[in-house]
Structures are given as C-alpha cells and as structure tokens.
Amino acid sequence: MIVVPLLTFVAVACLCLRLGGGVRLALLRAAVITGGAACLAVEALSSIHALHRPAVIVAWLLALAVLSACCFWFVRRSTPAGFFRFIRRSAPAEPEISAFATSWRSARARWAGLARVERLIVGVLCGLFLLDLVVALVAPPNNYDSQTYHLPKIEHWVQRGDVDFYPTIIDRQLAMAPGAEYLLLHLRLLTGGDGYYNLVQLAAGVGVVLAASRIAGQLGGGTRAQLITALIVGTTPMVVLEATSTQTDLVVALWVACVATFTLDGLRARSGALDTLLIGAAAGLTLLTKATGLLAAGLLLLVWVGAQLRLRWWRGLVAALATGALMLLLAGPSLLRVQQTYDNPLGPAHLRESISMQRHDPASVLVNGLRIAETALQTPIGPLNDALAAGIIGIAGVLGVDPQARDITYWNEKYPYMSWPPDEDRVSLPAQGVLILLGALLLAFRKGTRLYAGVFWLALLAYVITVKWQPWGNRLIVFLIVLGAPLAGLWIASLTGLAGGRAGAPTGGGRFAGVTGRRVATWMTTGALAVGVAAGGFAVAYGWPRRLVGHGSIFTTSQMEQRFIREPQWQRDYEWAAAAVRASGARRVGLVQGYNTWEYPWWILLPGTEIVSLQSLQPNLPAASNTTVDAMVCVKPIRPCEFYSSPTWQVHRQGDVAYVIIRSR
C-alpha cells in the first residue's frame, strides 16, 4: 500500500506537467494538491468517525483510479494509438504527450550542457539524498519530541477513528498544529505501522531543494545560480538530518517555499483560478503544520495580493478572499478545536508563553536576535564561540537585558548552548548561514531582487520579535534558510556574471568584474561546495540520533535500541513493564506520565491494546477512571502512580517505570 500514494502523486504531477512551467513546478503543484487533499480527507473521514484503515485504503485507490484514467485519457485523446506509438518511438509524439517528451528531451539537453562543477553539484546532492533514503528506510522513528507528542496522537486518532481531542496530560498532543501528522496518519493506516514515517520529511527535503532552486530562477538566476542554491539547501546539516526524521520543520518549510514560488509567478501577471487555489492551499497547509511559517508566508501573501490588486483591483480582491477561504477550509477545523478547548486558537497560555516573546522593546529584541544568530552560526571552534557568547552577554548587560530572562528565553533553558554537533535538534549551519546573510544583504539593493530580499529580512525580523531564543531554535528557522538560499545562490553566481538569464537580473559588475571577479567566484563556489559537502556528508554519516557509522549505527543497532537511543536507560524499564502487562492479558491500559515523558513506546510495546490516559489537563475532557482499566503503567515521575492506585493494589517499580495489574484475564 505504500506504493499507492506514490503513484497517486505521480499521476497528479503528470497532469500538472501538462499545464506548463516545467517539471519542478509540476512536482511542487502536485505536492500541494496531494497534501491538501490528504488533510481534507482526514477531516472529512473524522467528521463521520470513519477514520479507519479500510476507508483510507478505498479513498486512495479511488483517487488513483480516477487520476490514472485522466492521465490515460489525456494521453490518448488525439488518437487511440498515440500513446503506444510514443512508447515504440515509431512515430512522432502526439500533441497530448508532447509535454512529457519535451520535458525528457529538455532534461537531457540541460544535463549535456552542464559544466563539470555543475554536474558535480548534482551528483553530490543525489548522493546525499540517496544516503538519507537509506537512513529513512532502515531507522525507526526516534526523535525525542515524536516520542512525546508527534506520534502518540496518531495512535490515539487510529484508536478512536477521528481526530477529536481526548484527555491527556501532554497537551502538546492537542494544541500543536497537526498538519504533518495528518500526512503520517495516512501512512499509518495504509501500511499498519510506522516503518515509512521518515519518508514524509525526506520528500519535503527534496521538495525544498526543488522549490529554492526554482525561486532562484524566478529571480533571474541561470543554471549555475539555481544549482548553487540547491547545494546550499541540500547540504545544510539541519536539512540533511531532519530529512530522516518525524519532526515537522521541513514539511512547513516546503509549504512556505511553495507559497513563495507560486506568488512570485503572480507579481507581474494575473494569477488564474488554479494559481489562486495553489497559493491558498499552500498557505493553509503552512498554518495547519506550524504557525511560525506564516511569518514568511503571510508577508508573501501580502505582496502577492498587492500585486494582484494593482493589476486589476476586483480580481485581486476575489483572489484574496478565495485564498483566505482555502486557508480556513484546511486549518479551520483544527484551530476551532483548539479554540474551544483552550479559549485561544494558539493553545493554552503556558504553552504560548514558553515559545513566544513577552518583551518587544528594541533592546530585548536585539539581544534575542544576537543569541539566535550566534546559536545558528556556531562553529566547532570553541574559543571563538565562547568569545561571541561572552560578547553578546556583555552587550545584554550594557542594554540592561538579562540574557537568561524567562520572558525572552525558553523556560528553564540557559544561554549559551553548544549547537554545532550534528544533532537533529540543534545543529548549527555556519557556512550556509553566512552565505545566505551576505547574499540577502547585497541583493537587497539590486533591481529585480530587492523586493524578495526585503521580504526575507522582514520575515527574519518577525521571527526574532515573536519567538524566544531556545537551544533547539536552529530547526525552527529551516523555512528562513530555504527562503534565503536563492539570494546566496544568485550572489555567488553573479560574481562571474553567470547568474541570470532575465533582463535586469543581478550580474555582479563593479569591482567584481574581470579576472579578479572570476577568481573570487571560483574560490567562493569551490569553497561553498567543499564546506557544504563536508557538513552535509558528516551530518548524514555521523549525525545523531540516526547515523550510518560509529556507535549507534543504524546497521549495528537493533530497531528497539534505536527507538530508545536518546534515553537508553529507559528501554529496560519500558520493556519490563510492558512484558508484565502483556502477560496479564490486559486489554485496556491506563497511562500515568509526566508532561515531557515518552508515551509512544507504549503503543509499540503493547500492540492491540486500548491505551487511555488517567490524567487530563483539559477541563471539558475528563480522564478515564482507574476502575475502567485492566492495568496501569506509570513513567517518570512515578510518584503519582500511588495517587491513581488503590491501597490494595500492588505497585511494581523499576527505574523510572512502574506498573499495576488490576485484573488479569
């Protein structure tokens, strides 16, 4: 069944290819259409409590059948034998399939025209993503946040047959935007497990490379600028590491990048109905996946709406209203559930305040921005990192800002933090980050790129103003990296005047022209390639918590050990308690756990068991009673286990886990 969504996506892409714009645009359009339809299907099936495997399988098979029929009809519309003549190459391609033949011939011609260094860039990117594919298929999901709230809520949805809220003490399972998990839910129901979960972020990683390179082309970049852009994005350590993860940052970065590339097409020409549909769907998916993405997507939408109003005001107004309606259609049901439960569409106050800035005075914003920049650009050179951090703390002192203050710092965390090691939750990106910032600065004053560069800087400022510094903040700015990479690609390529194809595109000039400019450009391109390959290759080979070589390699570590690789001391305790519960024959198990403990392992270790929470932070959703369960499992801290137990029940403890057998079957 894993092949069904892939074939469906290919069918959508083939239909989109007929609309023109090239293969990249067709793939991005197909991603938005397929992703949007998948999310709408979840809400539709949930509304009738039919979110079960048979219904999802039937929905995908029907979609594949209809789309395949459409593709076949388009191919054969001119003549019944047209398709087969094309396959045999015994006659010229028919008009209806000329788009496919033209795309293939164009790709071959472009490859033949690439310089050696450009082919090397393509090879590096393909190699990295092939290695990521191996990791994604071999390694089980083992991201820390996924163990706590990303993946457990999928199991609750499967168990309940809908995505309505349920009692839990981990309110992030409810309040955090569920867009990426909706996509994972389809894989869970189609395949019956989590073996292909990592492929969603891998696909998003490929998507952001395609989108960023296309944006570079839209801004006037030629082949080399687009390939350098792709290299910058594709070798960013955080992109490489998250591409094998069940986090959500690459997914939201893909939707933001789709908003960017679709809206750029509408700055000089009126957007048609399909363009408006795609922009609204991409923006809605952004909101449904992670609200921080709107810091960039919202600005892009404003620029696009302004351009449409300028071209023809009433059509622009209709486009704006249609886009808003599509965003509400996709994200509205989820936001409404959060609003009804917490009286705020962004979730409970303690969760909002832990992430968002509470101070917005210039001094606090400056200190927050400096800390975010230092954490993102941190290098393996310890003395340099220490000096930069000390300087930022000194600046904060002069400005009268406490760099550890709770209103500008994530709760219970302390600046500075060592972020350079290749860990998917924190890894820095000094080479790519510097290139992006320089490119965005230099092209902010160039005709043809200043509007886009201005949007990038405003999005970056909006992030600094609204989101607190946090140790794992580098993964939250992936969407900004993707948006900024085209500016870096254009800047590097423009040093030799090879950036553009469109009139008015930045072409370097000035003191960078001539022999000196070519030497600088060669050095910069070679340096970017070398640093990118080194950083990306090291991340995929030795990154944590999924690595190809070294201690904890995916090839030498068992599947269960990989699941607990973040907290290996918990594995024995979880397995011990789960074995006792299974032996008792318990059919309904109650959970007692902490706010940041791991719930997902119970769903893996207790298959076929109904699992319910005995705790609830939702006033209108009372937790299950301990008299309705056959057993209880408790995770650190385990003291509350006694509170939820009867004095006559025996509590068994080991390490950070405890269990109670209430009745055996």
Side-chain angles (χ1 to χ4, degrees):
M1 292 306 301
I2 188 61
V3 179
V4 175
L6 176 60
L7 292 177
T8 304
F9 171 80
V10 171
V12 176
C14 289
L15 292 174
C16 291
L17 188 60
R18 297 184 66 257
L19 301 174
V23 175
R24 282 179 299 185
L25 182 58
L27 292 173
L28 295 174
R29 284 172 168 171
V32 171
I33 293 171
T34 307
C39 292
L40 289 176
V42 168
E43 292 289 355
L45 292 174
S46 174
S47 66
I48 57 175
H49 305 285
L51 198 57
H52 301 296
R53 190 179 189 192
V56 171
I57 289 177
V58 169
W60 277 101
L61 289 176
L62 284 175
L64 179 58
V66 171
L67 291 166
S68 299
C70 290
C71 289
F72 190 70
W73 182 79
F74 280 125
V75 167
R76 297 192 57 183
R77 193 172 70 176
S78 292
T79 171
F83 175 71
F84 300 102
R85 285 204 302 268
F86 173 69
I87 294 298
R88 293 196 305 266
R89 298 183 182 178
S90 59
E94 298 296 329
E96 292 302 329
I97 57 175
S98 60
F100 307 102
T102 300
S103 297
W104 173 248
R105 286 195 295 266
S106 175
R108 293 182 62 181
R110 293 189 69 179
W111 175 258
L114 292 180
R116 184 177 300 176
V117 67
E118 294 167 346
R119 293 188 182 189
L120 182 59
I121 291 175
V122 175
V124 167
L125 289 172
C126 290
L128 283 177
F129 277 108
L130 283 175
L131 290 175
D132 264 346
L133 177 61
V134 172
V135 176
L137 290 174
V138 174
N142 61 359
N143 172 264
Y144 195 104
D145 287 347
S146 296
Q147 306 275 27
T148 301
Y149 62 92
H150 287 307
L151 302 187
K153 62 183 176 184
I154 296 175
E155 298 303 318
H156 282 286
W157 295 340
V158 173
Q159 179 175 273
R160 295 169 54 89
D162 57 48
V163 294
D164 292 340
F165 283 1
Y166 49 85
T168 178
I169 194 175
I170 306 175
D171 52 18
R172 287 172 293 174
Q173 293 182 11
L174 309 181
M176 303 296 278
E181 289 84 352
Y182 280 4
L183 303 180
L184 294 176
L185 174 61
H186 281 275
L187 294 182
R188 170 67 174 82
L189 291 172
L190 286 172
T191 66
D194 62 5
Y196 298 101
Y197 275 5
N198 295 333
L199 295 183
V200 171
Q201 282 256 113
L202 179 63
V206 175
V208 296
V209 170
L210 296 176
S213 63
R214 184 173 191 270
I215 292 171
Q218 290 173 289
L219 296 176
T223 299
R224 179 160 298 187
Q226 295 175 48
L227 286 174
I228 293 174
T229 298
L231 179 69
I232 291 172
V233 175
T235 58
T236 298
M238 186 60 75
V239 172
V240 172
L241 289 170
E242 280 219 12
T244 63
S245 169
T246 46
Q247 274 287 8
T248 63
D249 305 288
L250 274 178
V251 177
V252 72
L254 173 60
W255 303 140
V256 173
C258 286
V259 173
T261 192
F262 296 159
T263 53
L264 283 175
D265 283 336
L267 294 186
R268 294 178 176 83
R270 181 176 62 83
S271 297
L274 177 62
D275 299 320
T276 301
L277 172 67
L278 290 169
I279 291 171
L285 288 169
T286 300
L287 179 57
L288 184 62
T289 304
K290 185 169 287 189
T292 50
L294 284 181
L295 297 175
L299 292 170
L300 291 163
L301 288 176
L302 288 176
V303 172
W304 171 71
V305 169
Q308 294 299 301
L309 289 171
R310 187 179 67 253
L311 292 170
R312 186 167 294 183
W313 71 268
W314 66 271
R315 288 185 181 273
L317 182 60
V318 171
L321 293 175
T323 300
L326 284 167
M327 293 178 66
L328 287 178
L329 178 64
L330 281 165
S334 174
L335 294 175
L336 181 60
R337 284 190 290 270
V338 179
Q339 171 68 38
Q340 291 174 337
T341 303
Y342 301 109
D343 295 325
N344 191 299
L346 297 180
H350 71 89
L351 189 58
R352 300 194 310 271
E353 294 172 0
S354 68
I355 299 173
S356 60
M357 290 273 287
Q358 272 82 61
R359 289 180 58 180
H360 301 95
D361 57 280
S364 297
V365 171
L366 176 61
V367 171
N368 192 49
L370 290 174
R371 293 180 304 167
I372 291 172
E374 188 276 329
T375 305
L377 303 178
Q378 198 174 106
T379 71
I381 306 174
L384 176 61
N385 299 333
D386 294 341
L388 290 174
I392 292 171
I393 293 174
I395 292 173
V398 172
L399 296 176
V401 177
D402 180 4
Q404 318 300 345
R406 185 171 178 173
D407 48 9
I408 63 171
T409 305
Y410 194 90
W411 294 354
N412 300 322
E413 299 298 335
K414 186 176 181 180
Y415 177 81
Y417 184 84
M418 187 171 66
S419 63
W420 68 265
D423 187 302
E424 69 170 353
D425 282 336
R426 62 180 179 179
V427 64
S428 59
L429 49 143
Q432 293 85 354
V434 168
L435 290 175
I436 289 170
L437 292 176
L438 285 174
L441 180 63
L442 294 174
L443 298 190
F445 305 99
R446 302 274 183 88
K447 182 180 179 181
T449 57
R450 53 189 165 209
L451 177 61
Y452 184 85
V455 169
F456 169 79
W457 283 113
L458 286 175
L460 182 60
L461 177 62
Y463 180 88
V464 170
I465 291 174
T466 57
V467 181
K468 292 178 178 177
W469 175 88
Q470 47 196 291
W472 44 89
N474 289 344
R475 64 179 179 80
L476 301 182
I477 62 173
V478 170
F479 72 97
L480 292 172
I481 299 302
V482 174
L483 285 184
L487 298 171
L490 284 166
W491 165 61
I492 295 173
S494 71
L495 296 177
T496 55
L498 296 175
R502 190 184 73 228
T507 57
R511 60 176 179 163
F512 289 109
V515 176
T516 301
R518 286 193 293 272
R519 289 176 178 173
V520 171
T522 301
W523 181 85
M524 290 298 299
T525 303
T526 305
L529 177 62
V531 172
V533 170
F538 184 70
V540 71
Y542 205 69
W544 195 252
R546 295 167 302 279
R547 58 176 46 158
L548 290 171
V549 298
H551 171 70
S553 166
I554 60 174
F555 299 118
T556 60
T557 308
S558 71
Q559 289 278 302
M560 191 58 66
E561 288 176 327
Q562 289 182 62
R563 291 183 184 275
F564 284 92
I565 204 161
R566 285 284 194 188
E567 300 289 348
Q569 72 278 7
W570 289 355
Q571 180 180 351
R572 183 173 62 93
D573 301 339
Y574 271 81
E575 291 180 328
W576 164 77
V581 172
R582 289 196 305 269
S584 72
R587 299 174 183 173
R588 196 168 196 251
V589 177
L591 280 180
V592 178
Q593 55 190 342
Y595 187 75
N596 201 38
T597 52
W598 288 5
E599 178 181 324
Y600 188 61
W602 295 122
W603 296 93
I604 299 298
L605 294 169
L606 298 172
T609 303
E610 181 184 2
I611 299 178
V612 296
S613 176
L614 301 181
Q615 307 155 288
S616 178
L617 289 183
Q618 297 73 44
N620 299 326
L621 295 172
S625 169
N626 59 6
T627 60
T628 65
V629 299
D630 302 323
M632 292 170 44
V633 289
C634 311
V635 189
K636 179 182 181 180
I638 60 176
R639 182 178 296 274
C641 200
E642 300 174 354
F643 175 80
Y644 290 94
S645 301
S646 169
T648 60
W649 297 346
Q650 183 177 2
V651 180
H652 304 270
R653 297 186 182 86
Q654 178 175 296
D656 294 321
V657 175
Y659 74 88
V660 177
I661 304 299
I662 300 173
R663 57 182 69 88
S664 299
R665 296 182 182 273

